Amino acid sequence: MAAFHDALFPTDIARGAKGGPERRTEIATLGSGFEERNAVWAHSRRRWDAGLGVRTFAQLSAIVAFFEERRGRLHGFRFRDPLDHKSCAHGAAPAATDQVLGTGDGATTRFPLTKTYGGAFDPYRRPIVKPVAGSVLVAVAGVATTAFVLDGGAVELDVAPPADAPVSAGFRFDVAARFDMDRLEIDLAAFEAGAIPSIPLVEIRLK
C-alpha cells in the first residue's frame, strides 16, 4: 500500500534541481475573440528535475538507494525546494511575524500554516503541510510565544487568542513529493562518477 515516508530527499542533490510551480487553467476562446478562463486547481503543484544535482559516484549511490527504498513512484517523501523553503525572503532567517495565519476570536486555538504570495491584487495562500521540526516560531499580536504544539501542518495554541489578535508564524518547510518515474537511467561512462540525465519529481497532495 502506498504511504508517505518521512524521509528527506538528499539535500545536496536537491540543490542542483530545476523546476517550479505549475497550474492548470482551462481557456475557451469565444467566437468574438474574447476568452473565458477557469482555474482547474485551487493550488499550484510543483515539479522538479533533480538529475543535474548528481555529480559524484557517492551521490549516484545515494539516489539509487533512496529510489529503491521508495519503490519508485509508490511512496512519497520530503523534498526541500532550493528556491522556496522558508516563510521569509531568500537570505533572511524565519521570524515569528513572517506569515499571518489568522485572527483570534476567543475560541479558536488551531491555525493551519500557510505562506502568502503576492499582495497587490489577489494574494495566494499556500498550505504548508510539511514544516521542518523545531523551526516553527509563533507570535500572538506580535508577541512571540512558546505556548503551542505543532500538529502536522497546523499550530495548536495552548490558549485561544483574544478577538482580533493576529496569529503569525515563521518556519522552514519541505514539500511532499514522489518520483515521477519507475526507472532510473544511469550513465556509468566515467569510472568514478556517474550521471542520471533525468530524475523527475512531482509534488503530491496529502489527505
Side-chain angles (χ1 to χ4, degrees), residues 19-25 39-48 81 84 115-117 123-129 173 175-177 202-206:
E22 69 170 343
R23 288 186 172 274
R24 180 165 295 178
T25 307
V40 179
W41 294 346
H43 298 290
S44 56
R45 188 185 199 192
R46 282 155 174 76
R47 290 183 178 273
W48 308 269
D81 189 336
D84 189 3
K115 181 175 179 180
T116 300
Y117 298 78
Y124 166 60
R125 296 189 71 186
R126 175 188 180 185
I128 302 299
V129 298
F173 63 94
V175 180
V202 62
E203 184 177 1
I204 57 176
R205 306 276 188 243
L206 296 178

Side-chain angles (χ1 to χ4, degrees), residues 78-100:
R78 286 177 177 260
F79 178 80
R80 191 155 300 166
D81 189 336
L83 175 66
D84 189 3
H85 60 270
K86 296 188 293 185
S87 58
C88 53
H90 182 73
T97 54
D98 284 345
Q99 302 290 326
V100 175

